[in-house]
Amino acid sequence: MALELKSSDNKIFEVEELVAVQSETIKSLVEDGCADNVIPLPNVDSKTLELVLDWCKNHVDMKLDEEKLKEYEDKFIEVDQAVLYDLLLAANYLNIKDLLNRACQKVADMLKGKTPEQIRETLNIVNDFSPEEEEEIRKENLWAFEE
Amino acid sequence: MKNINTACYSMAETSTSTSTSNKNMKGSPITNLAPDQLFSILLLLPIDSILAFAMTCKRFKALACSDTLWESICRRDWGPSSVDVLKSSNFQFQQQWMRLYRQISKLESVSCHKMTYPDGELELPKPRASHSLNFVSDCLVLFGGGCEGGRHLDDTWVAYIGKDFEKMLKWQKVNSGLPSGRFGHSCVVIGDFLVLFGGINDHGNRQNDTWLGQVTRRETLGITLSWTLLDVGTIAPPPRGAHVACSVDNKFMLIHGGIGLSGLRLGDTWVLELSENLCFGTWREIVTCPSPAARSGHSLTCIGDSRVVLFGGRGLGYEVLNDVWLLDMSEDILKWVQIQYELPNIPGGVSLPRVGHSATLILGGRLLIYGGEDSYRHRKDDFWVLDISAIPSISMQPTTLISKEILAKMWKRLKASGYKPNSRSFHRACADHSGRYLYVFGGMVDGSLQPAESSGLIFDGELFLVELVLQL
């Protein structure tokens, strides 16, 4: 059975039910009998939705091949930061647990072991602390960096 | 349809408000994420990275220092049960989880307090060693042990502690005769019950009976404790004394080793599962390879989340051991894994091999190791924290190389202030509800120039309290 999903920019995606129900949100709609018409997803643009559906489809196809699936996942998540956050938001909204976990892990890996300055660079954040404030915080948190 | 629409509306609202609120954040797409999502990401990071994130800008400092997040971090690193107990206890830490985490991480010293007794108290428990001491149903329970002349004791003593720290205690003798007198037995807490196993009496008879003890507090009758023999059917571990036991997840009792019928040290592992109605129990042996070598006088402690830690003891060749083993009871295939470590450089020749020490779970999911004897038969009075929380629990292979940074933090010697108790071994210790206080009773203390001679054995009868010092 096929479902129709509409992205925020009004693009329609026809998807097999088996693939679409990887999303717990869509799954409950189907179970409640509300999925007969086109399902609007005003929070997901077509670019992101296309990626998300690719993830879902491959998770159905490669379900039994753990190694192949891991290879796919690793490659899939190698995206620009902006795309990564869009995927994370979409996975959260559509309630696709494994995608959400993978995206969160990718962001965590980006930040792990970095100094504050390095994190600012990675995330493109401006330091809005005064030098005194910064020194105070550094001293407060020294305990976590000792030994 | 309406489910998705309302979900969309609230999601859209959050996104727009976060991205336009702070112009500092333009061009920084991570700001599209909601606090909950940022928390999920932060919970995947080690503490130093979480704090580095907090030091990037004001907005992220507020987020990364939030109490909600740090309660989750405490759950993650200490185990959910520690956090739940803290929340329900009267411990005054004003729910500042980040501050508490820091205080526990920085734990450097303990403070000892001598317990006092109300005036006019007549009877106090006799000095003894290799007894059992447990905290159950808000009470401290003491049973059995060996005393002067190598005689066994069969008395049960109870003291009501309640939910708060008290330096004054009132011992009450509640039973005599049942279970039969013994020392070197084990006693653990499962739910509101004490589960006692094995031990040896002064005729040299080793036992393998299992007893259930339950404390009852009544208005008029005061505190009583009833012991019942547990029906375990035909399968039971061979009789033994000086073995170790611990309760796992409030459901099982795990035992290991000890000295068996022939006087030989054992190295077997058994688990007892109680029936729902607690009327009978089933023993089953856990056979794994490799497994900790045969030994007695070691320690076995559950550190939460179905993981148990075994340390030290005296082996088959009479040598004092210092190895650490971990068993994860939640895994499908159970296996003991040895955790290899290097002794840190400590001046004064402090040695870690121990027998007759106590290893108690304290706040923060770590073990407080106290006293015992070393390889030279010297009784110790030092306090150590054994921290294996950093060791990954998932499918550890015996040959896994653990990073040096993690191993370096495994052992930490604590300073001790306040009352100075005698060096001791074969004492017993147990923590209260909060995990911040340890009650220690009895044990053998030095009495002559040559402590190895049995004539020089002195049994101690004092109860003292060990407090974890949380610095600001």
Side-chain angles (χ1 to χ4, degrees), chain A residues 34 38 40 42-43 85 89 92-93 108 113-114 116 119-120 123-126 128-129 133 137 141 143-145, chain B residues 1 4 8 11 24 27-30 32 37 44-45 48-49 51-53 55-58 60-61 101-102 105:
Chain A
C34 304
V38 176
N43 257 31
Y85 301 130
L89 285 166
N92 184 55
Y93 168 58
K114 290 201 164 128
I119 296 181
R120 284 190 203 114
L123 301 179
N124 200 22
I125 302 170
V126 173
D128 57 354
F129 289 123
E133 283 171 330
I137 303 166
N141 293 333
W143 62 274
F145 298 90
Chain B
M1 287 304 197
I4 264 213
C8 293
M11 276 292 304
N24 155 27
S28 181
I30 195 165
N32 290 336
Q37 288 147 12
L44 296 168
L45 291 169
D48 53 356
S49 298
L51 292 174
F53 182 85
M55 296 198 269
T56 53
C57 64
K58 289 182 180 167
F60 284 161
K61 175 169 187 269
Y101 192 99
R102 182 179 74 233
S105 297

Side-chain angles (χ1 to χ4, degrees), chain B residues 211-383:
Chain B
W211 294 80
L212 283 188
Q214 188 178 26
V215 173
T216 335
R217 280 189 290 127
R218 287 201 189 87
E219 284 276 344
T220 45
L221 297 170
I223 310 177
T224 53
L225 197 157
S226 55
W227 287 106
T228 14
L229 183 64
L230 184 69
D231 175 8
V232 297
T234 49
I235 300 176
R240 66 193 67 206
H243 56 282
V244 287
C246 71
S247 127
V248 184
D249 294 344
N250 246 344
K251 268 191 315 189
F252 305 102
M253 178 170 79
L254 192 72
I255 69 155
H256 177 273
I259 304 177
L261 279 174
S262 44
L264 270 180
R265 285 178 171 78
L266 307 164
D268 50 351
T269 311
W270 290 76
V271 65
L272 174 76
E273 187 169 358
L274 296 172
S275 66
E276 282 276 342
N277 55 12
L278 302 170
C279 287
F280 63 89
T282 320
W283 280 107
R284 134 183 101 86
E285 187 175 1
I286 297 175
V287 183
T288 77
C289 185
S291 68
R295 64 191 71 200
S296 64
H298 45 309
S299 64
L300 188 70
T301 328
C302 182
I303 53 169
D305 302 322
S306 308
R307 302 203 293 164
V308 305
V309 177
L310 181 149
F311 166 65
R314 192 184 297 281
L316 276 173
Y318 227 57
E319 73 285 19
V320 181
L321 308 161
N322 67 354
D323 47 349
V324 177
W325 292 75
L326 176 69
L327 177 67
D328 188 341
M329 299 277 296
S330 68
E331 295 199 334
D332 292 325
I333 301 175
L334 296 178
K335 54 183 190 292
W336 279 106
V337 177
Q338 183 173 6
I339 304 192
Q340 311 276 7
Y341 64 94
E342 280 157 20
L343 289 174
N345 293 332
I346 301 174
V350 178
S351 57
L352 262 186
R354 287 297 151 96
V355 60
H357 56 281
S358 58
T360 322
L361 182 68
I362 53 170
L363 180 59
R366 297 174 295 178
L367 292 186
L368 184 64
I369 309 243
Y370 167 65
E373 287 173 25
D374 64 11
S375 307
Y376 308 100
R377 289 286 223 162
H378 293 149
R379 292 196 181 86
K380 316 297 288 184
D381 64 355
D382 48 3
F383 292 91

Side-chain angles (χ1 to χ4, degrees), chain B residues 38-51:
Chain B
L38 286 165
F39 285 169
S40 300
I41 294 166
L42 291 175
L43 280 171
L44 296 168
L45 291 169
I47 301 296
D48 53 356
S49 298
I50 297 173
L51 292 174

